[in-house]
Amino acid sequence: MRRVREEPGWLRGEPPPRWARIAPAVAMVVLCLAQWLTPGNVELGYFLAGLPPVAAFSYGATGTAVFATLVLLLLGVPQLGVAHARGTDLATVAVVGLLSVVIAWVRHRRDAQLVSVRTAAEAAQLAVLPPVPEQVGPVRCAGLYRAAQQGTLVGGDLYDVRIGPYGVRAVVGDVQGHGLAAVGTVAALLGAFREGVLDDAELVAVATRLDRRLLADAADGPLEHPELFATAVLLEFPPGRDVVRIVSCGHPPVLLLRGHSVAEVAAEPGPPLGLGLAGPALPAATELPLLAGDRLLAHTDGVTEARDAAGHFYPLSLRIPSLTTDPAGLTTAVWRDLVAFSDGGPRDDVALLVLSLPGPTPGLDPGPGPAP
């Protein structure tokens, strides 16, 4: 499952790139050579005073101190032919070098703290929404998650696949809100779902459990934000049967990929969870027979509501046929296509989950058309 944002390593607290470490040394050599080749014409040596602060961004306190010492020698020793700093000029350069060493020391400690905090934050978020394994029971799984908020792994979307006494069950949902503010609701729904997988014999009962969870949390929440809701779709693969049961609660329809054709699964629609509109029971589960090689794609509205520069929505069902044979996998292919379509990626959380039963390699045999 793709979960880690593709940020430069330098921004994740890793060592700076080689060019950033080489740049101060190259600048020092270039300035010295330029001064030696043009003696008496221009004074370039004093530009060396700016190198220790630059080195502080790439080196620790020791490395920065070495640069500061070299600069002092080059400026303070006339025989070297770089500059002839004296008195207050040399003292000023020395103070700049000392401050650069302090800055490098503080930066190094801060980077270490940021790495520690980020590592703990990522561990906590992955505990809430762990990666989906490649196979759960007989069901093959492939997932992709992108949080809209920069620097986070979990946002307002959720998915999970679990096996229990009643088969393999999966959920894909989209809770109210975005970013870290929605993580608490995501955690509550996932906890209720995992309990339902083990305890509830009917898939509708699992959805009812999620609905009650949101209603209870909304009742205990702050008065200024009493509404707490989520859309979700639940899927169930009963043991020993080539069928899938689907319960939809205000969520975008699941797509059935059969060969090279794509069709929306016509599940009975239901209201979103947590609004108290479901009454005593949610819609009945829709049962769909599956053929060998069929794949089911569940997604959140962050995919289909992404827009291009002209304001057009992303046509997921129309794009999928050309992406099914991508060697990188369907979820990765959809994400790359979505980023290109929306010029940099959608502004909402995105979750994709592909589920299939064992069979021939999908996409090679067109097979019959999808069931209506």
Side-chain angles (χ1 to χ4, degrees):
M1 184 181 68
R2 310 292 182 180
R3 288 284 298 282
V4 180
R5 285 189 175 274
E6 298 170 355
E7 299 173 352
W10 202 5
L11 298 181
R12 296 199 302 267
E14 297 177 4
R18 181 175 298 178
W19 64 264
R21 298 177 65 85
I22 295 176
V26 171
M28 179 179 290
V29 172
V30 170
L31 288 172
C32 290
L33 288 176
Q35 185 62 57
W36 290 331
L37 294 176
T38 58
N41 295 336
V42 290
E43 286 287 343
L44 298 176
Y46 288 102
F47 286 103
L48 293 171
L51 293 183
V54 175
F57 287 98
S58 305
Y59 290 85
T62 302
T64 305
V66 170
F67 271 98
T69 301
L70 290 175
V71 168
L72 283 174
L73 290 175
L74 291 171
L75 296 181
V77 179
Q79 291 80 1
L80 296 177
V82 177
H84 303 81
R86 288 291 185 273
T88 57
D89 290 340
L90 201 58
T92 300
V93 174
V95 170
V96 171
L98 180 60
L99 290 175
S100 300
V101 172
V102 173
I103 291 172
W105 179 77
V106 172
R107 180 195 60 80
H108 184 73
R109 283 180 58 89
R110 182 183 177 188
D111 285 351
Q113 293 172 349
L114 288 175
V115 170
S116 177
V117 170
R118 184 181 179 108
T119 301
E122 289 183 354
Q125 293 178 72
L126 290 175
V128 172
L129 193 65
V132 173
E134 293 184 358
Q135 186 158 339
V136 178
V139 179
R140 295 195 184 109
C141 313
L144 182 142
Y145 195 107
R146 288 291 187 276
Q149 184 171 333
Q150 184 72 17
T152 62
L153 300 180
V154 180
D157 290 356
L158 62 101
Y159 59 14
D160 199 6
V161 184
R162 298 279 165 162
I163 188 169
Y166 309 105
V168 176
R169 288 170 170 173
V171 62
V172 177
D174 184 359
V175 309
Q176 176 193 22
H178 305 285
L180 293 176
V183 173
T185 308
V186 168
L189 282 177
L190 288 175
F193 169 74
R194 291 160 188 167
E195 291 177 358
V197 168
L198 300 176
D199 298 337
D200 297 328
E202 299 295 333
L203 187 61
V204 175
V206 180
T208 304
R209 181 187 291 263
L210 302 183
D211 187 58
R212 290 200 311 266
R213 177 73 272 167
L214 285 182
L215 288 172
D217 288 350
D220 296 336
L223 295 178
E224 62 270 19
H225 299 291
E227 299 89 2
L228 187 63
F229 64 91
T231 66
V233 61
L234 292 93
L235 302 94
E236 177 183 84
F237 297 85
R241 299 185 60 193
D242 292 336
V243 301
V244 62
R245 298 187 181 114
I246 300 174
V247 172
S248 178
C249 304
H251 201 76
V254 175
L255 299 180
L256 172 64
L257 285 63
R258 179 166 292 170
H260 296 292
S261 60
V262 180
E264 294 183 353
V265 177
E268 183 178 348
L273 302 170
L275 295 181
L277 302 177
L282 288 168
T286 299
E287 188 169 293
L288 175 71
L290 295 177
L291 302 179
D294 284 354
R295 285 181 288 177
L296 296 164
L297 173 60
H299 60 89
T300 56
D301 59 10
V303 179
T304 51
E305 292 184 359
R307 298 172 182 255
D308 62 9
H312 300 126
F313 291 109
Y314 180 71
L316 176 62
S317 58
L318 297 180
R319 296 265 189 163
I320 285 182
S322 63
L323 303 174
T324 53
T325 57
D326 193 308
L330 180 59
T331 57
T332 300
V334 171
W335 172 252
R336 290 175 179 171
D337 190 55
L338 184 62
V339 170
F341 177 86
S342 58
D343 191 20
R347 304 297 180 262
D348 196 1
D349 301 320
V350 167
L352 295 165
L353 184 63
V354 178
L355 304 170
S356 63
L357 293 172
T361 302
L364 296 182
D365 179 14

